[in-house]
Amino acid sequence: MRLLATVALLLAVPENWNNPPKTPPAGVEHKTFMSASMKVEVGYNIYLPPDYVASPDKRYPVIYYLHGRGGNESSNLAAFGLLDGAIKEKKVPSIIYVHAMAGRNSGYVDAPDGSVMGETAVIKELIPHVDKAYRTIAKKEGRAVEGFSKGGQGALLFAFKYPEMFCSVIGYAAGLATGAELQKELPAVFKQMHNDDVAQFDSTSAWFFAKKNEEKLKKEIAISIVLGDKDTHLERNRRMHKLLEDLKVPHEYRELAGFDHNTGKVYKEAGVSGFEFHAKHLKVDGGK
C-alpha cells in the first residue's frame, strides 16, 4: 500500500528530467542533453576514470546504470565510489560509468502518448550523446548495462531487446512483473505507460525478448542476475532464471543470503564483483 501511495503521489507531480546531485561524488559530473523526443533537457551523471584527461588517445568502455522506480540519475551515487575504488585498486580497468534518467515510472518503455520516452531517452538519445561527447568504445564490446529494481528490469529488457548494443548485463533485484501483475499492483502507471493493455505490455517485456532473441542471447551477451534471498522480487527473478535455463541461455544467477530489497546494501556486497563481471567482457583500449 505504501508503494501504491508513493507512486500515485509521483504521478501527480510533473516529471523533472534534470536532477543534479547536491554533492557529486569524486570524479563525477552532472551533465544534460536535449531530448529530441520530449523537447526537454535530460540529466545524467558521468564518471570519468582517473587517467581519462591524461590519455587523449585512449578510448574507454562504458557501463550504463538504470535507476529504480521513483528514482532518477542521482540515485545510488555510492556506486560511483565503488567503481572508482575498484579502478584504483586495479580490480578492473578504467571504465566510464553513466547514470541515466529515464522517467520515474517509465519502466524503460515509451508511453503511447509520447509524454515519457523511457526507452528512447536512453537507447536513441543518451547513448549516442555519450558516444559523441566522450572518448568511448562506441560499439557493443565497449558497452554494458546494469540497474537495480525497476532499473534491473530495464537493464535486462534493453539487453534482451538490443543484444547487438551490449556485451554484458546485470539485473540487480529486477522488478520483473508480468503485464497482469503490474496492472494489478500499479494501475495508474500501467494505464499511462501501456494503455491498460496487458497484451501490449507482454509483447514489449524482458520475458518476451528473452524468448524472441534466445539464439542471439546464447552467443552475444553475458547475463547476470543478482538479488537477496529476502527480496520482494525473489520469486519473479527465480522465474526468469528458470526461463533462461529452459531456453538454455547461459547466465549467472546469485542469491545473497539475508539481503532484502536495498540498493545500497546489495551494491556494497555485490557491486564490485559486478564491475569485475562486466570487465571480463568489455573491450579495453590501450591507446596509442
Side-chain angles (χ1 to χ4, degrees):
M1 293 301 293
R2 182 180 298 177
L3 176 60
L4 285 171
T6 300
V7 171
L9 180 62
L10 288 171
L11 286 172
V13 177
E15 187 71 79
N16 185 355
W17 288 94
N18 187 10
N19 306 274
K22 291 182 180 179
T23 306
V28 175
E29 291 185 285
H30 185 271
K31 300 286 188 177
T32 65
F33 66 90
M34 174 56 71
S35 168
S37 65
M38 296 181 289
K39 306 298 189 290
V40 295
E41 290 283 337
V42 178
Y44 64 97
N45 284 299
I46 184 165
Y47 164 87
L48 300 176
D51 62 337
Y52 184 87
V53 174
S55 305
D57 295 322
K58 185 175 179 180
R59 292 191 168 271
Y60 295 81
V62 186
I63 299 172
Y64 288 88
Y65 172 83
L66 308 182
H67 59 80
R69 191 175 297 286
N72 56 49
E73 74 270 25
S74 292
S75 301
N76 194 21
L77 292 173
F80 286 110
L82 293 176
L83 177 60
D84 183 62
I87 291 171
K88 290 176 177 175
E89 293 171 14
K90 301 190 183 306
K91 293 181 178 179
V92 298
S94 291
I95 296 170
I96 294 173
Y97 195 27
V98 176
H99 282 213
M101 171 58 178
R104 295 164 304 186
N105 289 294
S106 75
Y108 296 90
V109 300
D110 294 339
D113 65 2
S115 60
V116 179
M117 303 294 282
E119 177 180 322
T120 293
V122 177
I123 297 296
K124 296 182 180 179
E125 296 177 341
L126 173 61
I127 291 176
H129 166 80
V130 169
D131 285 340
K132 184 176 179 180
Y134 300 92
R135 284 181 280 109
T136 67
I137 297 174
K139 46 191 173 181
K140 173 189 175 72
E141 55 264 39
R143 193 181 297 124
V145 63
E146 66 182 34
F148 188 89
S149 191
K150 186 50 65 176
Q153 177 272 152
L156 293 173
L157 170 60
F158 286 169
F160 293 175
K161 186 174 182 179
Y162 301 105
E164 71 280 1
M165 288 187 66
F166 304 99
C167 70
S168 61
V169 57
I170 304 177
Y172 289 103
L176 289 163
T178 64
E181 289 166 340
L182 187 62
Q183 184 182 47
K184 181 179 179 180
E185 294 166 2
L186 297 172
V189 170
F190 195 79
K191 184 175 182 179
Q192 178 191 23
M193 298 306 302
H194 299 283
N195 268 343
D196 222 13
D197 186 339
V198 171
Q200 187 276 337
F201 176 96
D202 288 339
S203 67
T204 60
S205 69
W207 306 97
F208 174 82
F209 286 107
K211 289 178 278 190
K212 179 180 179 180
N213 292 328
E214 63 173 291
E215 292 305 319
K216 290 183 178 180
L217 299 185
K218 289 175 183 178
K219 304 178 230 178
E220 297 183 14
I221 191 163
I223 302 165
S224 178
I225 297 172
V226 181
L227 77 165
D229 65 0
K230 306 298 182 185
D231 196 288
T232 51
H233 295 321
L234 180 61
E235 187 271 334
R236 293 172 182 180
N237 280 265
R238 285 178 172 173
R239 282 182 0 220
M240 179 58 78
H241 173 44
K242 175 70 163 48
L243 173 62
L244 295 176
E245 283 190 323
D246 290 345
L247 295 172
K248 295 182 171 51
V249 172
H251 65 286
E252 294 184 2
Y253 178 79
R254 182 182 178 194
E255 292 182 8
L256 307 174
F259 283 73
D260 59 9
H261 197 71
N262 185 297
T263 314
K265 289 181 180 179
V266 169
Y267 259 78
K268 187 175 180 180
E269 174 70 15
V272 172
S273 61
F275 295 136
E276 292 172 336
F277 173 83
H278 289 308
K280 291 178 185 176
H281 306 284
L282 286 165
K283 178 180 178 181
V284 178
D285 180 8
K288 294 180 180 178

